[in-house]
Structure formats: C-alpha cells, structure tokens
Amino acid sequence: MLVTGAFTVLETRRYLDAQLAGDLRSALARVGERGGLGVQPDGDDDDRGRPGPPGAPGADSTLVLALAADGSVASVGGAPVNYVVERDGGGGRLDDDQIARLRAAAGGGEPVRVPLGDGVGEYLVTSAAVRGGGTVVVGVSTEPVDELLARLLALVVGGTLVGLVVVGVGGAVVIRRSLAPLDRVATTAQQVSALQLTEGDVSLAVRVPAGDADGRTEVGQVGLALNTMLDDVEAALRARQDSETRVRRFVADASHELRTPLASIRGYAELTRREPEPVPDGVTHALGRVEAEALRMQGLVEDLLLLARLDSGRPLEREPVDLSLLAVNAVSDAHAASPDHRWGLDLPDDPVEVPGDAARLHQVLANLLANARTHTPPGTRVDLGVRPEGDLVRLTVSDDGPGIPDDLRPTVFERFTRGDDSRSRAQGSTGLGLSIVSAVVSAHGGRVDVESRPGATTFSVLLPAG
C-alpha cells in the first residue's frame, strides 16, 4: 500500500508538472514570438489591480514581465509590462521584490519555480529573448497543481492508514478464526505432554476433536496426524505395561518358588555337617561352599521378591518409626561387619520419627552402609546423619572414599548396577542394594540423591515427617 501510494503520487506529480510545463509554453507562445512581444497594453499607467490587457495569457493565473537589455522593466505603449492575471479575471502589477526574484530566475531559460510571496504564491516561469536584446518572462501559477497533489497525498495517506487498520483488524479476526483449530490441537498436545508416561498403566484418553482432524485442511492434517501418533503411542505404552507386568509377575513367582528349594539346600547342608560319622575334609569344604552360596542366593531371591512387590504397588506398613534408634542399630551392625572402617553417627538430641515400615527403613540404612563398606577400602570414614528439615527428615550416609565414577553416577540406582571396575570390594555385590533403597524410599513418598567426588560421597534420603 505504501509503495503503490508513493508511486501514484509521484506519477501524478510528474504528469501534472508536464502538463504545467505545456501550459507555460502555450502562455509564452501567446505572449509573443522570440524577438518581440505579442501583447499590447492599453497604455493606462493607473490600471494596477485591473486585469491584464486583451491577449494576455488566459484561464489560469499567469504573469508577464518584459525586461529591457539593461535589466529594467520594458514598456509597451508607455505602460510597463509587469502584470499578473488571476484565474478569476482580477490581477495587478508586480512589485519590486517580485520583479527582482523573476529577474534572478530569468537567465537560465529552463522552467523554474519562483515563490512570489504571500497573496501571490508560487509560479513556474520561463524566459525568452525578444527583439532589441530584451527578455520576456512568462509564468503560470502552480497553485492548482500543488492543491491537487496535496489533496491526493492526503487521500493516499488517509486511505493507507484506514486500509492498514481495516487489514489489521480484519486480518487478526480472520487469522484467529483460521488458527483456532490449531490452538485446540496445541491444547491437546500440551495436555498429553503433562501426563506421566514413564511408568505405570498409562491411558491416553486425550484426542484432537473430530472437527479439527479433517484431512482436507492443513490444520486438520496436523490434528489427524497427532491423533494417529497418540493411538500408536498408547498402543506402545500398553504393550510396554503388559510386558513389564508379565516380567514382574514372573520375577515374583520365580522368587517365591525358589525360596523353598534354597531353604532345603541350606537345611541339608547344615544337616550333613552335623553328621557324627567322619566326613572327608574336601566334602566338608564343598558343603560349606554350597551353604554359603545358597545363603547368598537366598538373599538375592529375597531382594528380587521385595522389588517385585514394590513394583506391583503393594502398600507398606504405616506406623511411627524411630529413625534415631534405627540409625544406632544400623551403625552398630556395620561396625561389627567391618571393624576396619571408621564409623560415625550424627543424631539430634531428640528422637526423630517418621511414619513408615520399620523393617524396610532399616533395610534402607543397612544397604547404604553396606554400599559404603563394600565399595571403599579399609580405613575409610563413614558417617550416618539424621536431621529434621521442616516437613521432611534427611538421612545422609557420607564417606571419604574414592567416589563414584562419572559414567556410573546416572545409573547408580538402577538394578544390577555394579561398580566392580571402579571401586574396590571386600565381598561380592548383587547390584540390587541401591535399587532397593530407591524403591523403598519412593514407596514412602520420599526421594534419594547422591553427590560424589573423590574423597567425598554423600547419599541423601528425604522422607516425609508426617
């Protein structure tokens, strides 16, 4: 709109300037040919303010000024040729200032615009030589052209502003109506993005409305593609959940079934060692190893069974648990299991209680201390701390051992994650201890974090205080 308006104004001005120049040439031809004047004033010196003599240039406001060779105003029939003829028939003489301006502009011969002051306006003037060495200056008023251009410019500017307002308002309405289906599609996508899809039985009931999933429009194609994608994602999540459910059921059933034969193996091994008849040393050693491995396998089965139960959402007991007492017992057990480590305990003066399952929380502390004992060398200091923090209770297990490698830290709470390649071990590890910690803490509505660097490793457990 701006380019079109500017082009219209400039092209109109060019056309009107050309037309004004043509009018000026016509006026000059009427005044007289080169070498002489073609007008004859009536000779009355007192005709100032009266129309110009017959034959003066006609309909538009024009001016005529005849200059002698010495630059003075020439006279014809005793009357100086310096008058203006208005469009309405009036007119008058040019004053000295106006004559001086015209005299200054008369030398070039090319049409030039000359402002003649208030009441007279601006004229497009040109000059031509006349007989005797003089010059005749003829001009036509530029007022009609300027007025027309001013009106056109106002019309273009006003029309452009009105057009911009109309286009802006109309465009906003049309675009909002056109994009309303896309907003609804985006709303559906936002609702899906807020769902928890990482675990559990997930149902994607949100879909783009049928009216916004019409494949004949661009927005409808987006809505249709989103619905198709949600159908595929829901099917994949359902298949994943079914697979996880079958695996958990298998682990739980297998763990439960393995408990009986493992108990039998241990029982028969113990019974054989109590045999009064002499038993070869090799057999005694073998039976001892069988019993030890059966005991270790029984612990692994118990851990798997616990994880399967927690994964299935089986609720834990909810009763007040004295964490201070659990911490004292856990550190005492750890000291007995590894006297080569330096054990520390940091407890508040008053007992700290939380609602939960005492056996499972004791297992959390035991596993964290066992993890520190297993993966740090003798002489390492391990501290267990209990601190209330508002509505939460923080348990911390810190050690000054070698730390957890950076590549192992993101998966340290996953099942069967083992740090054999990076941290020395005093005994074997199943890789389930920290995963049990994470599962039990989550079942209590808390969370567990770890920060580690060489010389400072801290496991933090946050539990609801009430």
Side-chain angles (χ1 to χ4, degrees), residues 23-106:
D23 293 343
L24 180 62
R25 288 191 295 271
S26 298
L28 181 62
R30 289 196 300 270
V31 169
E33 300 176 353
R34 291 181 179 274
L37 294 174
V39 295
Q40 297 292 331
D42 57 8
D44 187 359
D45 292 340
D46 297 327
D47 59 351
R48 296 183 180 182
R50 296 170 53 193
D60 290 336
S61 297
T62 58
L63 64 82
V64 178
L65 173 64
L67 299 175
D70 58 0
S72 60
V73 178
S75 299
V76 175
V81 183
N82 64 332
Y83 52 82
V84 176
V85 179
E86 303 288 351
R87 284 179 293 177
D88 57 2
R93 298 293 181 180
L94 298 169
D95 58 26
D96 294 339
D97 180 66
Q98 294 167 344
I99 293 173
R101 295 185 183 184
L102 293 172
R103 185 185 293 114

Side-chain angles (χ1 to χ4, degrees), residues 168-193:
V169 174
V173 173
V174 172
I175 290 175
R176 287 180 180 177
R177 291 185 59 185
S178 300
L179 294 183
L182 190 59
D183 291 337
R184 292 191 288 270
V185 172
T187 300
T188 302
Q190 291 174 353
Q191 292 174 351
V192 173
S193 66

Side-chain angles (χ1 to χ4, degrees), residues 96-268:
D96 294 339
D97 180 66
Q98 294 167 344
I99 293 173
R101 295 185 183 184
L102 293 172
R103 185 185 293 114
E110 293 294 330
V112 294
R113 285 176 171 259
V114 179
L116 298 180
D118 295 338
V120 180
E122 191 173 73
Y123 279 74
L124 181 67
V125 300
T126 187
S127 61
V130 298
R131 289 188 298 271
T135 303
V136 62
V137 179
V138 178
V140 293
S141 176
T142 62
E143 182 179 357
V145 172
D146 293 340
E147 288 181 355
L148 180 58
L149 286 175
R151 292 180 180 179
L152 179 61
L153 182 61
L155 180 63
V156 169
V157 172
T160 300
L161 294 177
V162 173
L164 289 176
V165 173
V166 172
V167 169
V169 174
V173 173
V174 172
I175 290 175
R176 287 180 180 177
R177 291 185 59 185
S178 300
L179 294 183
L182 190 59
D183 291 337
R184 292 191 288 270
V185 172
T187 300
T188 302
Q190 291 174 353
Q191 292 174 351
V192 173
S193 66
L195 297 176
Q196 178 59 256
L197 306 179
T198 57
E199 60 184 8
D201 189 5
V202 179
S203 176
L204 296 179
V206 182
R207 290 294 186 277
V208 177
D212 298 329
D214 186 358
R216 294 173 296 180
T217 64
E218 289 81 359
V219 176
Q221 292 174 4
V222 175
L224 185 61
L226 181 58
N227 281 348
T228 303
M229 183 186 68
L230 292 177
D231 291 339
D232 294 340
V233 171
E234 185 176 26
L237 292 175
R238 188 178 296 112
R240 182 212 66 183
Q241 180 62 22
D242 293 342
S243 177
E244 290 183 356
T245 301
R246 288 194 297 270
V247 171
R248 290 169 180 169
R249 185 179 299 114
F250 168 77
V251 172
D253 294 342
S255 300
H256 181 74
E257 294 298 330
L258 285 173
R259 297 172 72 185
T260 300
L262 286 174
S264 298
I265 293 173
R266 289 186 58 197
Y268 279 112

